[in-house]
Amino acid sequence: MITEPLIQVEGLQKHFNSGDIKALDGIDMKICRGDVTAIIGPSGSGKSTFLRCLNLLEIPTGGRILFEGVDITDPKVNINVHRQKMGMVFQHFNLFPHMTILKNMTLAPMKLLKRSKEEAEQKAMELLNRVGLADRAAAYPNQLSGGQKQRIAIVRALCMDPDVMLFDEPTSALDPEMVGEVLDVMKQLAAQGTTMVVVTHEMGFAREAASHVVFMDSGKIVEEGDPGSLFDHPKSERLQAFLAKIL
């Protein structure tokens, strides 16, 4: 039995400046449950634009995105219902500075999923425990390091029990010594079968944790495949040149 992809992207386009800039120029992609898809490529290649289109933070110019069989680019679809099933982690942590870590984590599950305070707090504490930050539940964001804030941002998204986690360069704003602690949490999620789409400059993570790697340039997918073949036997000259500069 062939299961339908969790996300199916067909001919996705995103143009800016009346079509002069083609940030996305006809992207086709399938993401199945349990896939860890790493999207790599040079700056300006359209990676983050693509990720933001997946939950319509950017409205595509053309093409379709099917999420769990529903075309979410259809204006009649209530995108907020589908966004609840998509966890999003950005470069910057977007935590509410005036709320404790626990409050940051329980707000959305109580408001959107109608969970009781007790239920939401229990789930939040389980997740904080998993990333080694249970002792920071009563702290405020400004009392945490960048790496701690990003780990909180990840588990805050997990509090909503999403069907897919979207990561937009989650380590790029961190000091180098904090990158590892965030990548460790992401590797744990990958090992547990969490469906993830990760825009990243961390080639070690892409090679080690991804099941599928996509190389983008100039708004197109240039090459894609499993990490072993993509990194060790790149076919296109563009990918060969890219890897030669960064590995």
Side-chain angles (χ1 to χ4, degrees), residues 85-130:
K85 301 176 191 173
M86 297 177 166
M88 182 99 185
V89 179
F90 299 91
Q91 294 175 27
H92 299 285
F93 327 112
N94 298 346
L95 298 173
F96 296 114
H98 61 290
M99 293 182 185
T100 64
I101 297 311
L102 189 62
K103 182 80 173 161
N104 261 285
M105 293 178 66
T106 57
L107 184 69
M110 287 168 63
K111 196 170 178 180
L112 299 173
L113 302 181
K114 306 297 185 219
R115 286 194 177 143
S116 68
K117 186 167 183 275
E118 293 71 26
E119 194 184 358
E121 287 186 352
Q122 183 183 351
K123 170 94 177 175
M125 290 308 297
E126 281 170 15
L127 288 165
L128 283 172
N129 216 27
R130 248 167 71 182

Side-chain angles (χ1 to χ4, degrees), residues 230-245:
L230 198 101
F231 285 111
D232 296 332
H233 308 287
K235 297 185 185 74
S236 63
E237 286 183 14
R238 183 66 191 93
L239 178 55
Q240 289 167 13
F242 175 75
L243 292 176
K245 280 184 182 162

Side-chain angles (χ1 to χ4, degrees), residues 16-28:
F16 294 101
N17 200 17
S18 303
D20 290 348
I21 299 168
K22 294 181 177 174
L24 298 176
D25 195 11
I27 300 284
D28 296 306

Side-chain angles (χ1 to χ4, degrees), residues 6-7 9 27-40 47 50-51 54 164-170 186 190 194-200 205-207 209-216 221 223-227 231:
L6 182 68
I7 300 172
V9 179
I27 300 284
D28 296 306
M29 196 184 297
K30 284 183 183 175
I31 296 155
C32 296
R33 286 185 193 279
D35 282 357
V36 177
T37 302
I39 302 176
I40 64 170
K47 307 183 301 293
F50 171 73
L51 197 79
L54 288 183
V164 60
M165 288 285 287
L166 309 176
F167 293 87
D168 187 7
E169 296 184 17
M186 293 170 65
T194 307
T195 309
M196 298 160 66
V197 185
V198 185
V199 170
T200 185
F205 172 83
R207 185 192 278 268
S211 53
H212 191 73
V213 181
V214 175
F215 172 66
M216 287 181 65
I221 294 176
E223 199 169 328
E224 59 183 312
D226 66 87
F231 285 111

